Amino acid sequence: SQTIHQWPATLVQPVGSPLSLECTVEGTSNPNLYWYRQAAGRGLQLLFYSVGIGQISSEVPQNLSASRPQDRQFILSSKKLLLSDSGFYLCAWSGVPSAKLFFGSGTQLSVL
Amino acid sequence: RKEVEQDPGPFNVPEGATVAFNCTYSNSASQSFFWYRQDCRKEPKLLMSVYSSGNEDGRFTAQLNRASQYISLLIRDSKLSDSATYLCVVNGEDSNYQLIWGAGTKLIIKP
């Protein structure tokens, strides 16, 4: 069966520090991968999606970047965090676009 | 108008009661519809897909009304464990890869 791992679960970082969140998927090949951010009381906002190694699409301009160095690995990064980067970050995968998503357990990021 | 709108609630419902909530969407061309459940500070989990003819999964029934552009979720014989936020999801118009998420409806089942 397929599983998705995301870490860390919580992270407290000072403003201006770098960020690296990692997500890996097991039990499937060539998944569509996604990074979402969820702000309190709001719907999930798609940040990045990837349909293959090295293929990254950004949905919103921001202080973040994503990379997919391996088929089942998706990384969310920032060189310098802003206060506004605080939020709940979720990695997800799907078999085909616009299909049901399966999420990692999320990372609660607090930028202070 | 938001692309996907939900009543944020909370809906306070006694255990054993039936509760229903709707979600409206703006893109008449949408083809994929889902209900997800999210517990506090946890990841969303797929509850059920929504099919054109309506579908049922145990105590849960989902319906799609294309004419009025809304989907609904009905929960019968509610349990304390049904307390959660229910997220409505619809595929967007800008990209085949983007699902548009509602902000969720909070449900609280009281003993």
Side-chain angles (χ1 to χ4, degrees):
Chain A
S1 63
Q2 300 88 1
T3 56
I4 178 168
H5 304 278
Q6 181 184 343
W7 65 93
T10 59
L11 193 58
V12 180
Q13 292 285 98
V15 169
S17 64
L19 172 74
S20 181
L21 302 181
E22 190 164 342
C23 172
T24 58
V25 180
E26 296 177 358
T28 187
S29 57
N30 197 32
N32 293 297
L33 296 173
Y34 309 81
W35 278 110
Y36 281 90
R37 178 168 59 202
Q38 186 177 34
R42 302 185 69 178
L44 271 68
Q45 180 187 37
L46 180 63
L47 302 175
F48 301 94
Y49 67 88
S50 171
V51 300
I53 296 174
Q55 300 179 62
I56 309 294
S57 295
S58 174
E59 288 296 310
V60 293
Q62 59 217 322
N63 184 42
L64 303 167
S65 62
S67 62
R68 185 170 177 173
Q70 300 180 46
D71 181 46
R72 289 170 287 177
Q73 184 185 28
F74 206 23
I75 299 171
L76 182 69
S77 304
S78 174
K79 292 182 179 177
K80 288 185 178 181
L81 285 168
L82 306 172
L83 288 174
S84 57
D85 291 325
S86 294
F88 190 48
Y89 289 82
L90 290 154
C91 179
W93 76 272
S94 70
V96 295
S98 284
K100 50 193 175 184
L101 296 177
F102 299 93
F103 287 87
S105 53
T107 297
Q108 184 65 51
L109 173 66
S110 299
V111 183
L112 305 177
Chain B
R1 180 185 175 186
K2 291 182 182 177
E3 292 184 82
V4 177
E5 288 199 74
Q6 295 183 254
D7 182 340
F11 284 49
N12 291 283
V13 175
E15 190 177 8
T18 295
V19 60
F21 25 84
N22 293 338
C23 163
T24 59
Y25 61 94
S26 62
N27 180 15
S28 59
S30 293
Q31 297 293 326
S32 302
F33 307 90
F34 307 94
W35 283 105
Y36 280 73
R37 171 201 167 118
Q38 186 175 25
D39 295 296
C40 188
R41 298 187 180 276
K42 299 288 187 181
E43 74 275 21
K45 293 183 179 179
L46 179 68
L47 180 64
M48 57 199 305
S49 303
V50 185
Y51 302 122
S52 297
S53 57
N55 47 300
E56 189 174 304
D57 182 1
R59 298 181 294 108
F60 298 84
T61 301
Q63 301 231 311
L64 168 63
N65 185 316
R66 286 194 183 276
S68 301
Q69 293 183 210
Y70 73 86
I71 64 174
S72 63
L73 179 67
L74 178 84
I75 305 174
R76 291 181 299 278
D77 187 24
S78 53
K79 312 290 184 189
L80 294 177
S81 58
D82 294 333
S83 296
T85 296
Y86 291 83
L87 307 175
C88 167
V89 190
V90 177
N91 72 296
E93 59 185 276
D94 293 336
S95 165
N96 285 332
Y97 297 93
Q98 180 159 173
L99 296 174
I100 308 299
W101 294 72
T105 296
K106 187 170 184 177
L107 175 64
I108 300 172
I109 306 298
K110 296 185 176 296

